[in-house]
Amino acid sequence: MSGGGDGVWVLGLGGSTRPRSRSRLVLEGALAGARTAGARTSLWAVDEEPLPFHTPEAPPDPATERFLKAVRAADAFVWCTPAYHGSVSAPVKNLLDHIDALRQDRPPLLAGKVVGVASVGDGAIAPVQAAATLVQIAHALQALVVPLQVPVCHGTQTLSDEQIVDRGVAARLGELGRLVVATATALRPATGGPAPPSHRPGR
């Protein structure tokens, strides 16, 4: 977990199965923007802690229980997926499918929580389609999606394996993170929320 104070807690979800993937780099860029707005942040990356295939009838394993605890505690989220065939990758979709276990919560699922989305893919179309799919998933989970989405073409002049090269993309990701925090802050009770669980090191 990174950040401090009594700000909202933003949980990043996504990445890919490749360590230090470009989708994770994009996710971290948005979380950095959230921290500049005073948020606490942490990251659940599919390359470090994948969840088992979602089976609604199966009892949650320990990793899934930690994931659901983190999702319940978070005020807001940033999601990022690699674009596979114009849609969301299987590991990211599986991660989000597990949130369905919160359907009996009150409020249910992600109701009252804020989501910002980003995506990474080849060309101009695939990342836009993947980001749109994330928006649809967030709406199905009853979340409030901020109006800015950041689909990123991962050409070498945009992203390297170590950094976001394109300053415009970096700026939009920072703006996405700050917008998520501003929206969640406006929705958050004046008393503040609970401290996030330390389920994993922050990024």
Side-chain angles (χ1 to χ4, degrees), residues 10 21 48 87 105 108 134 139 156-157 159-160 162 167 183 193 202:
V10 180
S21 66
E48 291 187 351
S87 190
D105 285 11
L134 286 180
H139 285 160
T156 56
Q157 296 193 3
L159 300 171
S160 72
E162 299 296 331
R167 293 184 179 180
T183 306

Side-chain angles (χ1 to χ4, degrees), residues 7-12 26-41 75-79 114-118 146-150 164 168-186:
V8 299
W9 179 38
V10 180
L11 176 61
V26 166
L27 188 55
E28 290 174 342
L31 291 177
R35 289 193 294 275
T36 67
R40 298 166 289 171
T41 68
D75 299 296
F77 304 86
V78 176
W79 298 350
V114 177
V115 172
V117 307
V146 298
L148 175 65
Q149 288 97 49
V150 186
I164 301 169
V169 170
R172 289 196 297 276
L173 289 170
E175 183 181 356
L176 176 63
R178 290 188 292 273
L179 182 58
V180 165
V181 174
T183 306
T185 300

Side-chain angles (χ1 to χ4, degrees), residues 59-159:
D61 69 311
T64 302
E65 288 180 343
R66 290 193 301 273
F67 173 72
L68 295 175
K69 181 179 180 181
V71 170
R72 282 188 173 106
D75 299 296
F77 304 86
V78 176
W79 298 350
C80 184
T81 182
Y84 287 175
H85 309 294
S87 190
V88 177
S89 72
V92 172
K93 179 61 164 58
N94 184 58
L95 196 69
L96 300 177
D97 283 347
H98 279 280
I99 298 175
D100 194 65
L102 307 185
R103 187 169 295 278
Q104 300 304 317
D105 285 11
R106 291 293 178 267
L109 302 170
L110 300 183
K113 298 179 185 287
V114 177
V115 172
V117 307
S119 59
V120 181
D122 289 320
I125 303 300
V128 174
Q129 293 173 323
T133 302
L134 286 180
V135 171
Q136 292 176 332
I137 294 170
H139 285 160
L141 292 172
Q142 303 184 28
L144 173 64
V145 183
V146 298
L148 175 65
Q149 288 97 49
V150 186
V152 179
C153 173
H154 68 35
T156 56
Q157 296 193 3
T158 304
L159 300 171

